[in-house]
Amino acid sequence: MKRICVLPGDGIGLEVVGCAVRVLEAVAPGIELLHADIGQSAFAEHRSYLPEDTLELMRTCDSTLFGAVTSSSDPGYTSPVLTFRKSLDLYANLRPVKSLVRAVPKPAIDIIIVRENSEGLYHQEEAVDVEGVTTHRRVTRRGCERIVDFAIGHARERKRHDICCVHKANVLRRSDGLFLDVFRERMANAPDLAAKDQLVDSAAMFLVTDPRRFDVMVTLNLYGDILSDVAAGVAGGLGFAPSGNIGPEHSVFEPAHGSAPDIAGKGIANPTATILAAAMMLDHIGMSREAREVEAAVSGTYSSGHLTVDLGGRHGSGSFTDHVLQRMGA
Ligand code: NAI
Ligand code: MG
């Protein structure tokens, strides 16, 4: 029996994970769901934003479904998200973004962003001196190789045609230059895929004006974080962007968005990203049939005109999920 660690976290994390859990229970009643604490709620209970018991459960389960946490300005705060990404060696962040709703007055988008998830500016080494602060941005050859290889493998698996390396090698000549060099080296051995590259600033513009020029994108950590929210905006908002943190042994699936304190507790958060993250997780643990069933139910719910509040529709988290469950015959 597959065992899944469930971490609702804070704010709308609780609401959207609750919806995804209902979908998982319906589509895969055989999997065991084990809840644990993370974020502010964990701190209140255990004086830790990521208790050791939670991390241990994540390590021993087949995968984890995570909602979101609310950051703290407390000087002693360390992000539980960055901590589990590092502790579990989740070096790849996979962010597919696809338009599900034709009503959105924006060009259709269907891209996969593969974001390096362990290095770059998220290395988090900051040195303070009298004049200011220096942040170290770490880019290693091994880090570049494994994320580019991951992107190539994923592009082939999903029958995609090209990979675009997004970088700023014109300014960051050594670090982004290394990323681009490794991309070119690895793509030379992948003649079945077209290799392109684009500077990050113009890539951001093209994502908005002409997203169809991208298929799979591979990029460094901070660029991937920012560009995936831009892409989500094109698809209708942050409620549409699922995300998978993947490593050699462990994985964590989550919506790309945060805890959205501005709408928390109102029942209007769009659960789509989290339900689709649960589908990505099902795929990852070998339950592809169930994953396709969930994806079809979500897109069928939208195409039959059931729109969520963020799109100007009338469905809150619960009633949208009811429709998804109905389509799955649950
Ligand atoms: P956010 O992603 O929480 O929200 C940005 C905007 O998008 C808000 O207006 C929010 O209402 C809207 N939004 C987000 N998800 C939505 C959904 N499912 N349905 C409808 N609307 C949605 O980002 P923000 O406001 O920058 O950060 C809020 C908190 O979340 C901060 O404490 C931040 O540190 C944390 N955060 C946590 C993440 C994580 O746990 N992985 C990721 C990003 C932010
Ligand atoms: Mg982000």
Side-chain angles (χ1 to χ4, degrees):
M1 186 200 275
K2 298 285 184 192
R3 295 166 73 248
I4 301 299
C5 172
V6 178
L7 306 177
D10 306 317
I12 65 165
L14 291 155
E15 302 164 41
V16 293
V17 166
C19 297
V21 161
R22 289 176 63 203
V23 171
L24 280 176
E25 284 170 343
V27 77
I31 61 180
E32 189 182 359
L33 301 172
L34 300 138
H35 283 68
D37 295 328
I38 190 167
Q40 305 296 335
S41 47
F43 192 79
E45 182 103 343
H46 315 275
R47 308 304 293 164
S48 164
Y49 295 99
L50 181 62
E52 194 44 53
D53 286 354
T54 297
L55 196 55
E56 190 50 29
L57 186 65
M58 296 170 83
R59 254 194 210 105
T60 54
C61 280
D62 293 286
S63 188
T64 293
L65 180 67
F66 162 57
V69 294
T70 301
S71 314
S72 158
S73 53
D74 170 0
Y77 178 79
T78 49
S79 158
V81 177
L82 295 187
T83 305
F84 72 60
R85 283 176 183 167
K86 191 174 270 181
S87 308
L88 303 177
D89 193 21
L90 306 173
Y91 69 90
N93 193 325
L94 192 55
R95 298 191 156 185
V97 180
K98 188 174 172 178
S99 308
L100 294 173
V101 191
R102 277 202 217 104
V104 175
K106 303 209 175 91
I109 186 167
D110 182 4
I111 67 164
I112 299 173
I113 298 177
V114 178
R115 160 185 172 194
E116 202 291 314
N117 210 28
S118 58
E119 304 189 334
L121 269 174
Y122 290 63
H123 191 58
Q124 279 194 304
E125 223 181 276
E126 298 197 301
V128 181
D129 59 39
V130 284
E131 283 174 21
V133 183
T134 306
T135 302
H136 292 267
R137 184 170 176 279
R138 180 86 176 142
V139 178
T140 67
R141 173 165 276 277
R142 175 174 173 261
C144 298
E145 286 174 352
R146 65 179 187 167
I147 197 64
V148 172
D149 289 346
F150 182 94
I152 292 171
H154 193 75
R156 285 181 173 146
E157 212 179 286
R158 294 292 139 136
K159 306 205 176 348
R160 296 289 182 139
H161 305 290
D162 68 69
I163 307 184
C164 182
C165 175
V166 177
H167 60 87
K168 190 77 185 173
N170 57 334
V171 176
L172 298 163
R173 300 176 79 90
R174 301 295 295 273
S175 53
D176 282 25
L178 174 61
F179 192 80
L180 182 58
D181 285 348
V182 168
F183 173 74
R184 289 181 174 146
E185 281 165 34
R186 298 309 237 218
M187 289 300 281
N189 297 320
D192 52 318
L193 295 164
K196 306 193 224 167
D197 76 273
Q198 186 79 45
L199 293 172
V200 63
D201 37 3
S202 52
M205 190 234 4
F206 285 129
L207 262 181
V208 174
T209 58
D210 187 15
R212 268 167 285 219
R213 69 167 65 211
F214 300 112
D215 190 14
V216 175
M217 205 180 248
V218 65
T219 191
L220 296 109
N221 207 337
L222 180 64
Y223 306 152
D225 189 8
I226 296 170
L227 293 178
S228 55
D229 278 24
V230 174
V234 176
L238 280 173
F240 289 88
S243 154
N245 301 269
I246 297 168
E249 286 174 51
H250 304 287
S251 58
V252 176
F253 294 84
E254 55 170 324
H257 62 72
S259 60
D262 54 339
I263 57 166
K266 296 184 178 163
I268 56 168
N270 185 345
T272 302
T274 315
I275 295 173
L276 293 178
M280 286 173 75
M281 181 185 76
L282 289 169
D283 238 336
H284 192 73
I285 61 170
M287 300 177 76
S288 307
R289 186 188 56 76
E290 289 84 350
R292 297 293 88 73
E293 200 182 323
V294 172
E295 286 167 0
V298 170
S299 75
T301 301
Y302 280 111
S303 50
S304 62
H306 294 289
L307 301 188
T308 40
V309 172
D310 52 345
L311 292 176
R314 63 187 171 86
H315 286 299
S317 324
S319 66
F320 178 81
T321 308
D322 292 342
H323 279 283
V324 172
L325 290 170
Q326 246 172 46
R327 293 206 150 247
M328 292 179 359

